[in-house]
Amino acid sequence: MPPKPTAMEGQGVSRTLRLLRNHLPRLRAGPSESNPKEAVPEPEKTQEHFLSSFSGGQHFFEYLLVVSLKKKRSGDDYEPTITYQFPKRENLLRGQQEEEERLLKAIPLFCFPDGNEWAPLTDYPRETFSFVLTNVDGSRKIGYCRRLLPAGPGPRLPKVYCIISCIGCFGLFSKILDEVEKRHQISMAVIYPFMQGLREAAFPAPGKTVTLKSFIPDSGTEFISLTRPLDSHLEHVDFSVLLRCLHLEQIIQIFASAVLERKIIFLAEGLSTLSQCIHAAAALLYPFSWAHTYIPVVPESLLATVCCPTPFMVGVQMRFHQEVMESPMEEVLLVNLCEGTFLLSVGDEKDILPPKLQDDILGSLGQGINELKTSEQINEHVSSPFVQFFVKTVGHYASYIKREASGQGHFQERSFCKAVTSKTKRRFVKKFVKTQLFSLFIQEAEKSRNPPAGYFQKKILEYEEQKKQKKSREKTVK
C-alpha cells in the first residue's frame, strides 16, 4: 500500500483544491460521509439520471464556443482561449455576469486538459468527449466537445467546438457537433443560422424527433432530424467503449468499488475513451447518483486531485501515467483502459457484492452480448443486470419510509436491513445504506409521498409481481 501523504504533500493537495475552486464555477456543497446533512465542498459532481431527466421543451444549449490555442507572450507554450461565442449575452445582472465569467474561464481548461505544450500538426484524429460542471445552486452544465484540426494547408493547431448545455444526451449532441463541423469547413457564418434554429427549437421528449431546416451554400436546403432515445435514463451513455476496453468481471469490480464510494482512476490515451468510460461507470449506479468528485478528463494543472482523501471518479490521460503512479494514494482502483488491467487495487473488489448476485450480473451480461447490434440494445443489455441488483437488494425501501400526517417521511434503516433475509445480502446492504449514494436517494424518497414513477420503480413492481407468481405456483404444486 502506498505511504500516507506527508505534511508537504498534504499542502499540495490543498493547493489543488484551491485551483479547482478558482478554475471552476462556484460549486455546490454536498453532504459529508459522517453526516449526510452537513455541507462540504465538492470540486465537481454529476448525477447521471438527473442529467437526462428532462421531459422535453427545454432549450438545446446555452452556448456554442470555439476554443483555440494561442501562443503565450513569453515562452513556447500555448494557452486555450475562447475565440468564438454564440450567443453573446448582454444586459446580464451583476451576479449573472460574474457566473458567466467563471464558467467561460473554466471551459478552455477542460477543452485542452492535456497541457499547454503543443506544436502545429498536419495530422490529428478528431476526438469527441464531454465534461460536467456543477454550479453552487446545483444546476449542471455539460460541455460536449469535438477536437480536430481545422481545414487548411500546412501544419496547424487543433481547435475545439464546445456546446454547453444543461441536458445530458451524448449521442444527440455528437450528431449536432457533426453538423457544426460540416458548416465550419465552409464558413463560420454558416454556423450561425443553424445554431439559431437549434436554439429556437424545443428539446424533444423521450422517443420524439425534432426536424431542423438548414440552408448550406452549394448544397441547398437540408432537413436534419434529431431523435431523442426512448429510454431517457441511458441517453447520456454508451457502454460499448467500456465493453471493448475491459472484461465483464472487471466492469463488475469497478461497479462494486463505486457502490462503496471508493477512489477510482481511469487511464487512457484518448479523451473520447476516457469520457465515454467514466460516464458509463457512473451510469451503472442508476438509480443512485455519484455525489463526489467527478472529472471525466483531469486537466494537467489539477493532477494532484488523485491525492485527495475523499472519494473520486476521474479520468487521466496515459501521458500522465508516471505522475499518477508517483502520487501518494491510498485504497485506489487504478484502471488501465489501454491494456485492460488494474494497475492498483484494494484487493477485495471481488468480495464486495453478494456472491450469488454477482454471478447473476455476470451471467446476464454474458448472455447474447455478441448478438447486439445497436447502441440502444447494448445500453439496455448492460444496464439491466445492475438495475436488477439494486431491485433485489434495496428495492423494498419504500415500505420502510414511515410518514407523518404532513407527508414527510422517515426512513426506518434498522427494520429495512432486518427485512433482508439472506446474510450475504444483508451484510452488503448494511454497508450500502451508509453511503452518500443511498442517503441522497432516500432523502428524496422521504420528501415524496409516492415512489417516483420511473424505470427503477417499474422494475421493482415487475420483480414483486414475479415473486407473487412464484409463490402462487409453489402453493399449487403443494
Side-chain angles (χ1 to χ4, degrees), residues 102-217:
R102 281 192 292 269
L103 175 69
L104 297 179
K105 182 181 177 183
I107 288 166
L109 184 72
F110 289 91
C111 290
F112 285 92
D114 27 17
N116 300 327
E117 295 179 9
W118 286 87
L121 306 162
T122 54
D123 184 49
Y124 183 84
R126 73 178 188 172
E127 294 192 276
T128 305
F129 58 99
S130 65
F131 58 85
V132 182
L133 298 176
T134 306
N135 282 320
V136 69
D137 63 358
S139 61
R140 288 166 175 78
K141 298 183 191 296
I142 310 166
Y144 297 96
C145 301
R146 172 73 51 81
R147 194 159 84 177
L148 43 70
L149 277 188
R156 51 212 184 277
L157 292 163
K159 62 172 57 176
V160 174
Y161 307 114
C162 179
I163 297 174
I164 301 296
S165 176
C166 61
I167 296 169
C169 195
F170 191 88
L172 192 146
F173 278 95
S174 182
K175 187 173 181 180
I176 293 171
L177 285 167
D178 289 341
E179 297 297 329
V180 170
E181 182 184 344
K182 182 166 70 176
R183 283 157 178 75
H184 188 252
Q185 289 170 356
I186 302 168
S187 166
M188 286 298 290
V190 185
I191 294 176
Y192 174 80
F194 169 70
M195 294 305 289
Q196 183 63 33
L198 186 66
R199 188 164 172 76
E200 292 169 358
F203 192 70
K208 301 299 182 181
T209 299
V210 63
T211 301
L212 300 176
K213 185 178 177 182
S214 179
F215 178 79
I216 299 181

Side-chain angles (χ1 to χ4, degrees), residues 419-435:
V420 181
T421 53
S422 162
K423 286 184 180 179
T424 54
K425 273 193 203 177
R426 194 186 311 129
R427 195 179 303 122
F428 167 79
V429 169
K430 282 183 175 180
K431 291 179 182 177
F432 184 56
V433 295
K434 302 301 182 184
T435 64

